[in-house]
């Protein structure tokens, strides 16, 4: 089930399905197919962590799919 990142429950692992992921300039790049854990909405970005444990930020409207 594809949904926007800002609608994902805190702590959910997801796979990014969006082709063009918007991130702030100082954030680690995130690409389609990356597995991340969503934390919370912070302004227009959702923060979370990537598979290496680094803090990431993606636009709240980024399409993601929860891992099952």
């Amino acid at each position: 089930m594809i949904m926007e990142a800002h609608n994902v429950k805190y702590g959910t692992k997801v796979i990014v399905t969006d082709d063009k992921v918007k991130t702030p300039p100082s954030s680690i790049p995130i690409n389609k197919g990356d597995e991340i854990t969503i934390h919370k909405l912070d302004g227009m970005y959702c923060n979370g962590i990537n598979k290496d444990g680094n803090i990431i930020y993606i636009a709240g409207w980024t399409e993601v799919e929860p891992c099952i």
Side-chain angles (χ1 to χ4, degrees), residues 23-59:
T23 60
S26 61
S27 180
I28 296 170
I30 299 296
N31 301 301
K32 183 176 182 174
D34 287 353
E35 185 176 303
I36 60 174
T37 302
I38 299 290
H39 285 178
K40 65 178 183 170
L41 185 62
D42 182 12
M44 67 184 268
Y45 294 100
C46 287
N47 63 28
I49 55 172
N50 64 10
K51 63 181 174 145
D52 298 324
N54 298 313
I55 296 173
I56 57 93
Y57 292 88
I58 59 173

